[in-house]
Amino acid sequence: LDRVAAIVSPAARRYRTLWLFFLQRDGIQANLVVPIDDIPEQPDAAGISNVCYVASESIAQAPSLSAVVITLSRPGTLRRSDSDRHFLRAFQHGANRHATPVRMLVLATPEGVCELGPVKPVR
């Protein structure tokens, strides 16, 4: 969480963006951060699933990579919204469907950074 906070500045957190932080096998962040701008408040599940697929394939093609941290930045407070919960469910489903090695799902707002929720759905 501290690493996300250090890279995604409070000013950058005012925009709806997905950030993919790839991790090397030793757990250190790779020199690869992928921002995806202009994320709608209610993206379709297929779009989120596609992000998980691309992350999974990127990791499979790069032997030095082992996982990804997916961060949603948006304006507002750290209080989770219905939209945030929609994102969480969509990422949980997409990561499960594509066997995406997600280390953590993160929410970043101008107010701060926190875990969005568990990678695996709670049953």
Side-chain angles (χ1 to χ4, degrees):
L1 293 174
D2 290 339
R3 185 74 174 148
V4 170
I7 292 174
V8 183
S9 70
R13 295 180 217 152
R14 294 188 314 236
Y15 303 99
R16 296 190 66 79
T17 302
L18 283 179
W19 301 83
L20 305 180
F21 295 87
F22 289 91
L23 304 177
Q24 297 174 355
R25 296 216 173 273
D26 59 6
I28 303 296
Q29 181 193 340
N31 289 330
L32 177 61
V33 176
V34 180
I36 304 169
D37 294 327
D38 301 322
I39 299 298
E41 252 187 80
Q42 293 291 331
D44 62 16
I48 296 297
S49 182
N50 190 48
V51 169
C52 292
Y53 171 77
V54 169
S56 184
E57 286 298 306
S58 297
I59 292 166
Q61 297 300 316
S64 65
L65 299 180
S66 66
V68 64
V69 172
I70 301 174
T71 300
L72 169 65
S73 67
R74 62 155 175 79
T77 69
L78 280 174
R79 185 172 167 193
R80 288 177 189 87
S81 67
D82 288 339
S83 175
D84 297 336
R85 287 184 280 281
H86 173 79
F87 267 99
L88 176 61
R89 286 187 302 275
F91 277 121
Q92 289 170 333
H93 177 75
N96 184 53
R97 180 175 181 204
H98 299 292
T100 310
V102 177
R103 171 78 58 88
M104 181 182 285
L105 297 169
V106 178
L107 175 63
T109 73
E111 190 175 272
V113 175
C114 69
E115 186 175 2
L116 180 59
V119 174
K120 302 254 187 244
V122 177
R123 302 212 186 246

